[in-house]
C-alpha cells in the first residue's frame, strides 16, 4: 500500500508530474531524439508550473477578497470547499479514494481505446474530487471494500470521458479544432450557462469585440481593462469591511492601498496563468499525438479549464462577475425556500464562472455571457444546498462540494443508494 500511496499521491496526484509523464510517453511514442524528449518533457513541466504559479497568485488574491466580502457585508453561511471535504474523507476513506482514482483512470483509458470517445482526462486534482465524492457517498450508502472501489471507479471513469464528450461541441467552437478538450468537473454548469445564452443571447456581438472611443482605446488591452474592472471589486468590499478587517493582511500598509494592490495582483496572476497555458499547449498537443498514434488512436487530451482562457479573456472576467452576482442572489433566495445559505465561493466563481462565461459568449455573445452567467451563479449555489443534507449524515455540517459535476454525481449516486437501502 505504501508504493500505491506513492504512485497515487506523489505521482498521479501531482498534476504537473502526471502531464509531464504523459508528454514524455507521447514523445517516446513519436520516436523523438533523447534531447527532444527531455526538452519537451521539461517544457511541459515548466508550462504547467507557471500555470499553477499564476493560479496560486489568483487564489491568494481571491481568498483575501472572499474574506473581506463576507465580513464587510456580514454574511454567514455554508462554504463550498472541496479541499476540506477531501481532507476529512482521507482520514476514513483514504485507501478507497486512492484506489477509485486509479481504477477511474484505467476505465478512462479502456473507454477511449475501445469506443469512439477518445478523451483522456488529465486534470489530476479534479479526478481526486470525483473519487472523493464517489467514496464518501458510496460509503454512506452502505458500500464497502471491493464493492465500493469498483462502483466508484467505474462511475468516476465514465464521468472522465462523459464530461469532455458533453462539452466538446462548444469547446470545438471556442478553439476552432479538436486538438484539446475540457477536463474540468464543472461541465454541467457550463452547459446550463450555454443553454441560457443560446436562448437569451446574440452570438454576433462577442465579448471580445468591444468598440470603444479613442480616449478609452487603452481598454482594448485585456489586462488594462481587467484592472479597471477589478479595482472597484476589491475597494468596495474593503471600504465596507473597514481597516480592522484588512489590517491582519496588510501589516503596516493602508487598508485601501493594500486592497488596491491585491486587485492588481489578481491581474498579475491571470497574466502568469495565461503565459503558462500558452507554453503548456505548445508542448502537450504535439507530444499527445504520440499517444494518439500508438496507445489510443486519435486520443484528445482533456485539460483543466484555464486552457480556454486565452480564447476569450474578456468573457472570463464577465463570466466571473455575472456568476458572482448570481451566487449572491442565490445566497439570499434559496434560504427562503428552506435550503441552507451557501456563501459565494470566489475561487469557483472565477475559474468555473470564467469558463462558463467563455461558453456563454461562444453561443450567445456578450449578452449570453452576462445573463447566462447569472443563471450559472444561481445553479452552482443551488446544487451545494441540495447536497448538504446527504453530507450531513457523514459529519460535514458546515462545508460542501463546489464543482457541479461532482455534486451531481453525489446527488444521483446518493439517491440511488438510498432507494435500494
Amino acid at each position: 500500500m505504501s508504493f500505491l500511496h506513492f504512485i497515487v499521491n506523489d505521482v498521479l496526484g501531482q498534476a504537473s508530474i502526471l502531464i509531464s509523464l504523459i508528454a514524455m510517453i507521447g514523445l517516446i511514442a513519436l520516436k523523438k531524439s533523447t534531447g527532444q524528449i527531455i526538452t519537451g518533457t521539461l517544457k511541459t513541466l515548466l508550462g504547467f508550473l507557471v500555470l499553477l504559479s499564476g493560479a496560486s497568485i489568483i487564489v491568494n488574491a481571491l481568498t483575501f477578497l472572499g474574506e473581506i466580502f463576507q465580513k464587510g457585508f456580514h454574511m454567514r453561511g455554508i462554504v463550498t470547499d472541496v479541499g476540506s471535504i477531501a481532507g476529512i474523507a482521507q482520514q476514513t476513506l483514504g485507501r478507497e479514494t486512492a484506489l477509485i482514482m486509479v481504477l477511474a483512470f484505467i476505465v478512462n483509458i479502456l473507454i477511449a481505446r475501445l469506443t469512439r470517445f477518445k478523451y483522456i482526462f488529465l486534470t489530476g486534482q479534479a479526478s481526486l474530487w470525483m473519487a472523493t465524492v464517489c467514496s464518501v457517498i458510496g460509503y454512506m450508502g452502505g458500500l464497502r471494500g471491493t464493492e465500493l472501489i469498483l462502483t466508484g471507479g467505474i462511475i468516476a471513469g465514465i464521468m472522465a470521458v462523459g464530461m469532455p464528450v458533453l462539452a466538446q461541441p462548444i469547446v470545438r467552437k471556442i478553439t476552432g479544432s479538436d486538438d484539446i478538450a475540457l477536463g474540468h468537473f464543472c461541465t454541467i454548469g457550463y452547459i446550463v450557462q450555454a443553454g441560457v445564452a443560446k436562448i437569451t443571447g446574440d452570438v454576433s456581438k462577442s465579448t471580445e469585440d468591444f468598440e470603444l472611443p479613442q480616449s478609452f482605446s487603452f481598454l482594448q488591452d485585456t489586462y488594462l481593462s481587467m484592472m479597471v474592472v477589478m479595482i472597484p471589486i476589491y475597494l468596495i468590499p474593503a471600504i465596507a469591511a473597514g481597516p480592522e478587517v484588512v489590517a491582519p493582511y496588510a501589516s503596516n500598509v493602508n487598508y485601501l492601498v493594500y486592497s488596491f494592490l491585491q486587485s492588481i495582483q489578481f491581474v498579475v496572476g491571470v497574466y502568469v496563468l495565461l503565459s503558462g497555458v500558452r507554453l503548456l499547449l505548445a508542448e502537450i498537443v504535439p507530444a499527445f499525438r504520440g499517444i494518439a498514434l500508438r496507445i489510443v488512436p486519435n486520443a484528445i487530451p482533456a485539460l483543466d479549464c484555464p486552457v480556454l482562457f486565452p480564447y476569450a479573456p474578456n468573457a472570463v472576467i464577465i463570466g466571473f462577475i455575472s456568476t458572482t452576482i448570481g451566487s449572491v442572489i442565490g445566497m439570499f433566495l434559496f434560504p427562503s425556500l428552506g435550503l441552507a445559505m451557501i456563501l459565494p465561493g470566489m475561487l469557483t466563481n472565477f475559474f468555473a464562472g470564467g469558463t462558463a462565461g467563455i461558453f456563454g459568449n461562444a453561443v450567445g455573445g456578450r449578452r449570453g455571457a452576462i445573463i447566462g452567467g447569472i443563471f450559472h451563479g444561481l445553479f452552482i449555489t443551488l446544487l451545494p444546498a441540495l447536497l448538504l443534507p446527504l453530507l450531513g449524515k457523514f459529519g460535514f455540517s458546515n462545508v460542501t462540494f463546489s464543482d457541479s459535476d461532482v455534486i451531481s454525481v453525489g446527488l444521483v449516486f446518493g439517491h440511488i443508494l438510498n432507494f435500494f437501502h
Side-chain angles (χ1 to χ4, degrees):
M1 279 306 298
S2 60
F3 179 73
L4 178 63
H5 184 273
F6 167 75
I7 293 296
V8 171
N9 289 277
D10 297 324
V11 179
L12 298 180
Q14 299 296 320
S16 58
I17 295 177
L18 174 62
I19 289 183
S20 300
L21 289 174
I22 294 291
M24 183 179 70
I25 292 169
L27 292 168
I28 292 172
L30 285 172
K31 298 182 179 179
K32 297 291 185 179
S33 68
T34 301
Q36 289 173 317
I37 292 170
I38 294 172
T39 299
T41 302
L42 292 181
K43 278 193 173 183
T44 300
L45 179 62
L46 176 63
F48 199 86
L49 289 177
V50 171
L51 184 158
L52 289 181
S53 296
S56 178
I57 296 171
I58 293 170
V59 166
N60 290 334
L62 287 177
T63 299
F64 167 73
L65 177 61
E67 181 74 13
I68 61 173
F69 190 88
Q70 291 178 28
K71 291 185 177 179
F73 298 110
H74 306 291
M75 296 178 177
R76 296 291 181 270
I78 307 300
V79 297
T80 55
D81 185 357
V82 68
S84 296
I85 292 181
I88 298 170
Q90 287 294 322
Q91 298 174 11
T92 306
L93 298 169
R95 172 180 172 275
E96 289 81 358
T97 301
L99 290 172
I100 287 172
M101 187 176 173
V102 172
L103 179 59
F105 190 69
I106 294 171
V107 170
N108 182 182
I109 295 292
L110 288 174
I111 294 174
R113 182 70 178 86
L114 301 175
T115 74
R116 63 187 179 90
F117 303 119
K118 303 299 183 181
Y119 304 97
I120 308 295
F121 197 97
L122 294 177
T123 309
Q125 189 176 19
S127 299
L128 177 59
W129 305 153
M130 184 60 71
T132 300
V133 78
C134 288
S135 64
V136 168
I137 299 297
Y139 187 87
M140 284 164 40
L143 302 182
R144 299 291 185 273
T146 303
E147 186 181 30
L148 173 60
I149 293 164
L150 287 176
T151 304
I154 291 170
I155 292 172
I158 291 173
M159 290 295 291
V161 178
M163 292 302 99
V165 168
L166 186 64
Q168 193 61 16
I170 300 177
V171 171
R172 187 184 304 117
K173 187 178 181 67
I174 293 166
T175 65
S177 73
D178 280 317
D179 287 342
I180 60 170
L182 180 62
H184 195 225
F185 283 134
C186 296
T187 302
I188 294 174
Y190 305 153
I191 299 303
V192 168
Q193 166 133 2
V196 174
K198 185 73 173 178
I199 297 169
T200 63
D202 179 0
V203 73
S204 67
K205 297 180 179 179
S206 171
T207 57
E208 311 309 303
D209 297 331
F210 286 116
E211 295 183 6
L212 297 170
Q214 186 64 32
S215 58
F216 291 97
S217 61
F218 70 95
L219 292 177
Q220 298 285 22
D221 183 291
T222 296
Y223 300 105
L224 291 178
S225 62
M226 199 179 297
M227 288 183 194
V228 170
V229 171
M230 297 309 298
I231 288 170
I233 287 179
Y234 274 77
L235 287 181
I236 293 171
I239 292 170
E244 64 280 356
V245 173
V246 180
Y249 294 92
S251 298
N252 295 322
V253 179
N254 177 273
Y255 78 108
L256 292 179
V257 173
Y258 182 82
S259 301
F260 168 78
L261 292 175
Q262 283 299 298
S263 70
I264 307 303
Q265 192 76 353
F266 172 89
V267 180
V268 171
V270 174
Y271 181 89
V272 174
L273 183 146
L274 295 183
S275 299
V277 168
R278 294 186 185 97
L279 181 57
L280 173 66
L281 290 182
E283 299 301 326
I284 192 67
V285 172
F288 209 83
R289 287 185 63 250
I291 295 175
L293 292 172
R294 298 288 191 275
I295 302 171
V296 180
N298 303 313
I300 301 173
L303 303 171
D304 204 354
C305 64
V307 299
L308 298 182
F309 287 6
Y311 294 96
N314 290 341
V316 173
I317 298 303
I318 291 173
F320 167 45
I321 295 171
S322 56
T323 292
T324 299
I325 292 170
S327 63
V328 170
I329 294 172
M331 179 185 68
F332 292 111
L333 173 63
F334 296 131
S336 67
L337 303 177
L339 297 171
M341 176 180 281
I342 304 297
L343 299 178
M346 291 300 174
L347 296 180
T348 302
N349 287 356
F350 175 70
F351 288 104
T355 309
I358 298 173
F359 272 61
N361 179 62
V363 300
R366 64 188 70 158
R367 194 162 63 206
I370 295 169
I371 299 174
I374 294 172
F375 276 86
H376 177 252
L378 287 167
F379 182 71
I380 65 172
T381 305
L382 174 62
L383 282 183
L386 294 175
L387 184 65
L388 196 62
L390 279 175
L391 292 176
K393 298 177 183 178
F394 199 71
F396 302 112
S397 56
N398 294 310
V399 66
T400 181
F401 284 95
S402 56
D403 296 357
S404 59
D405 301 352
V406 173
I407 296 173
S408 298
V409 166
L411 286 169
V412 174
F413 191 25
H415 283 98
I416 290 173
L417 291 174
N418 285 340
F419 178 80
F420 288 105
H421 288 78

